[in-house]
Amino acid sequence: MPSVAYDGRSFSLALGNGAAVSGQGIWALRFDTADEKLKEDGIERRWRTEVVLARIAREPMAHLSLRLSVVTTTPGVPFGRTAPKLLRTLASEQGLVFDGVTDLENYGADLELLVQLLEQPERRPVILVAEDDAGRVTVNVDRLKNGAIGFAHVVRVPSVTARAFIREVGGRWAVFPGGIRIYYPGVDFSESQFRAHPFWSLASMPRESSDIRRFEQRLIYRLLAMSVNRTDIDDLAPSFGAVDAMLREAQLLAAARASEEAQAKAEAASTMQEKWAAQQEQLDTLHVEVSSLKGELQAVKERSREVVQDRDMAYDANEEYTAEIERLQGQLYGLGAKVRALEGKLLERGDATVQAVPIPSSFNELAGWAETYYPDRLVVLPKAARAAKKSVYDDVAHIYQCLMLLADEYVDYRRGEPGAQMKYQDACSHLRVEVTPVGAALDNRKYRDQFRTPYKSGYSEIDLHLSPAPGTSERGSYDPKRTYRIYFFWDEENEFVVVGSLPAHLTTSLTN
């Protein structure tokens, strides 16, 4: 965008592969930008930005919506999720108002305003970052604001306000000094759904700068995913094609009405001069209607061409890939994240004892069990859940115990928790298991595809497995009722275990 655009002056813009329409107080723009970084690798990818501006009667400000999407020819190429650059630029250069909040800085120090914002039914999520008693915060608040702009309100709260907030709404709903909490829409302090709004205490916050950046990015990704998956997204941020179709439909309707009115005038004319004038008016309106129809026909042809182009550019995600995306997105908003549930219980009941994780009697409950009790530690992919249901392995409880080892001791060990390595080794010894790389199977062209799985925006290799320890009778057995393997990989970004297959052996040169 040229600089004069942000000064409110007229400007022209070469859209390239783009289009613009306007009418009835609405202005819509769509343009595609090629990803030049990938061209040298032979990968064609483009980013599509769709902008809609609308003037609403009797409202002082225009309404703005933006959609950013990516279209690619090659599956599995990762991409960064971010707020559209145009949105960030408009917010900093021109000023944007979200949810009617015009001065967010005042909310941190004003308890009444803060509570009103949280109780507002239709709003963006709110991230409260509470200062500790020394006025410090763990995260970079400005970085969070910039990354989450348009997707969430980020409010820095002094410790004195945080303590007053605790007294106002109770410990279950509050954020303690030094902590962070996300309040999703639908807060009702009289209800008990406080665990739906995740909380991180000061003690659970990362300390290293690189870990802090990753933590901030995970928070932002939560909000971006929430925006994409709203069921009312087409109403909140209509696509360029939807606006174009609506304007053309309105134009056609107006032309048809004008033609009908001109015909009525011609039929009601009492003199030849009036009749001639009415017929001339009717002819003019018919020209307008024909012109509108031709424009609509051309727009339909153009839209059809674009759909074909998008179809050829986009790859078809298989059902498993789609199911995995939906499952991960649901997990991000899981109400029972183990860490946060424990903290909520501690806030509510002091040092109350945490209830033990139950062990189901069958694999039918596996996916729901993992999401309920280990949503931030253990992911069971749909392929693994289906394989488990078909399994004939006898000792179901043992497999669940192995999964609990991975979710508890192994995750703590990989996250570098103090003393976790010894606890992990003791747990492996107790269950008589070991965790090792899958080895040469990844390099075997005949079998390696079963060790790759759709995950997030690409594919991941299942490079680890939990198996019976050497010397155990199950170790050397190939009887599917007696022996087992849990194939998984470690998600470095989110720091949890992702299970790709269990409990049967995958086919390799050794098992075939």
Side-chain angles (χ1 to χ4, degrees):
M1 298 279 284
S3 58
V4 295
Y6 301 107
D7 296 331
R9 290 182 281 162
S10 298
F11 66 94
S12 60
L13 184 66
L15 294 178
N17 189 14
V21 295
S22 62
Q24 299 188 9
I26 299 174
W27 182 85
L29 170 80
R30 183 200 61 222
F31 58 93
D32 290 354
T33 305
D35 195 328
E36 300 293 340
K37 296 179 181 178
L38 296 177
K39 276 193 172 180
E40 58 188 36
D41 296 326
I43 298 174
E44 186 178 2
R45 182 166 77 181
R46 65 173 185 257
W47 295 91
R48 170 166 294 171
T49 305
E50 298 173 272
V51 187
V52 178
L53 276 169
R55 295 181 61 185
I56 308 299
R58 295 183 297 279
E59 292 194 16
M61 293 179 288
H63 286 230
L64 168 74
S65 73
L66 286 98
R67 295 171 71 125
L68 178 64
S69 53
V70 61
V71 185
T72 179
T73 57
T74 307
V77 180
F79 59 88
R81 295 164 177 78
T82 179
K85 183 178 180 181
L86 179 59
L87 178 66
R88 299 197 304 269
T89 307
L90 285 171
S92 61
E93 299 286 343
Q94 193 71 16
L96 298 173
V97 176
F98 302 102
D99 300 327
V101 179
T102 56
D103 192 359
L104 194 61
E105 299 299 328
N106 292 335
Y107 285 74
D110 192 320
L111 180 61
E112 184 178 353
L113 279 178
L114 180 61
V115 172
Q116 288 177 358
L117 175 63
L118 295 178
E119 291 182 329
Q120 187 174 324
E122 298 294 333
R123 60 157 173 80
R124 286 155 180 78
V126 176
I127 303 177
L128 288 192
V129 183
E131 297 177 356
D132 62 17
D133 291 327
R136 298 168 300 191
V137 291
T138 304
V139 297
N140 186 313
V141 176
D142 290 334
R143 215 160 43 211
L144 265 184
K145 287 181 177 179
N146 185 60
I149 190 152
F151 296 89
H153 303 288
V154 180
V155 182
R156 181 167 179 165
V157 181
S159 60
V160 62
T161 307
R163 295 189 185 283
F165 186 48
I166 296 171
R167 294 190 295 270
E168 177 73 17
V169 301
R172 295 180 303 173
W173 279 100
V175 54
F176 283 72
I180 292 178
R181 192 162 197 167
I182 299 179
Y183 293 89
Y184 294 122
V187 167
D188 184 350
F189 294 119
S190 65
E191 298 294 333
S192 61
Q193 303 302 322
F194 59 91
R195 292 192 182 93
H197 309 273
F199 167 71
W200 292 266
S201 66
L202 177 60
S204 67
M205 295 294 292
R207 294 292 181 263
E208 298 297 328
S209 58
S210 59
D211 294 334
I212 292 172
R213 291 292 294 266
R214 291 167 62 188
F215 175 78
E216 293 168 356
Q217 195 62 54
R218 287 200 295 269
L219 286 185
I220 293 169
Y221 276 18
R222 282 174 176 257
L223 305 166
L224 295 173
M226 181 178 181
S227 172
V228 170
N229 290 284
R230 291 188 62 149
T231 56
D232 56 351
I233 188 69
D234 289 326
D235 295 325
L236 293 173
S239 67
F240 174 85
V243 174
D244 185 28
M246 183 272 293
L247 290 177
R248 291 189 181 279
E249 183 179 352
Q251 187 180 35
L252 281 171
L253 182 60
R257 286 176 177 172
S259 178
E260 291 174 359
E261 291 173 359
Q263 182 178 354
K265 282 185 181 180
E267 292 173 352
S270 57
T271 66
M272 288 299 298
Q273 185 174 3
E274 289 177 351
K275 189 164 187 157
W276 182 85
Q279 288 175 340
Q280 185 63 42
E281 182 180 350
Q282 184 180 15
L283 184 62
D284 291 342
T285 58
L286 287 173
H287 279 303
V288 172
E289 187 172 6
V290 169
S291 177
S292 297
L293 286 170
K294 286 182 178 179
E296 176 70 6
L297 178 61
Q298 184 60 35
V300 171
K301 288 181 179 180
E302 179 67 16
R303 179 59 181 158
S304 176
R305 183 189 67 79
E306 291 171 356
V307 169
V308 171
Q309 185 183 40
D310 287 349
R311 180 203 64 190
D312 294 339
M313 278 283 291
Y315 62 89
D316 294 327
N318 59 40
E319 292 182 1
E320 185 172 316
Y321 182 83
T322 303
E324 168 57 10
I325 290 177
E326 293 174 352
R327 194 209 57 73
L328 282 174
Q329 290 163 347
Q331 180 176 0
L332 285 175
Y333 305 112
L335 305 183
K338 184 179 179 183
V339 172
R340 294 182 287 282
L342 289 175
E343 289 174 340
K345 290 181 179 180
L346 290 174
L347 290 173
E348 181 182 5
R349 295 179 291 187
D351 59 350
T353 302
V354 179
Q355 184 179 0
V357 176
I359 296 179
S361 58
S362 75
F363 291 126
N364 293 332
E365 299 88 356
L366 176 58
W369 175 84
E371 290 184 11
T372 300
Y373 296 101
Y374 295 106
D376 58 345
R377 287 175 167 262
L378 181 69
V379 172
V380 178
L381 298 181
K383 177 182 177 181
R386 291 196 297 269
K389 289 181 181 179
K390 298 177 182 178
S391 169
V392 296
Y393 181 71
D394 286 335
D395 196 349
V396 173
H398 180 71
I399 297 299
Y400 277 106
Q401 289 170 344
C402 291
L403 290 171
M404 292 167 69
L405 182 153
L406 292 176
D408 289 325
E409 287 84 4
Y410 183 78
V411 168
D412 285 345
Y413 163 59
R414 293 297 298 263
R415 290 178 179 178
E417 299 291 340
Q421 182 174 3
M422 183 64 69
K423 292 179 180 178
Y424 162 60
Q425 292 172 345
D426 289 344
C428 287
S429 177
H430 175 70
L431 289 177
R432 304 178 71 192
V433 298
E434 67 173 2
V435 173
T436 55
V438 298
L442 293 177
D443 301 320
N444 190 316
R445 292 188 176 183
K446 186 175 181 180
Y447 305 114
R448 67 185 179 188
D449 283 349
Q450 61 189 326
F451 292 91
R452 296 181 72 245
T453 184
Y455 187 65
K456 294 183 178 177
S457 57
Y459 285 80
S460 293
E461 286 187 338
I462 305 171
D463 57 351
L464 298 167
H465 61 4
L466 181 149
S467 60
T472 59
S473 60
E474 296 91 347
R475 175 76 173 192
S477 173
Y478 290 100
D479 181 354
K481 294 183 178 181
R482 295 188 61 246
T483 192
Y484 58 91
R485 296 290 188 272
I486 298 177
Y487 297 88
F488 69 95
F489 62 90
W490 176 252
D491 186 318
E492 289 286 354
E493 179 185 355
N494 296 296
E495 295 187 321
F496 52 52
V497 167
V498 182
V499 177
S501 182
L502 80 160
H505 281 270
L506 290 179
T507 304
T508 67
S509 58
L510 296 177
T511 59
N512 188 28

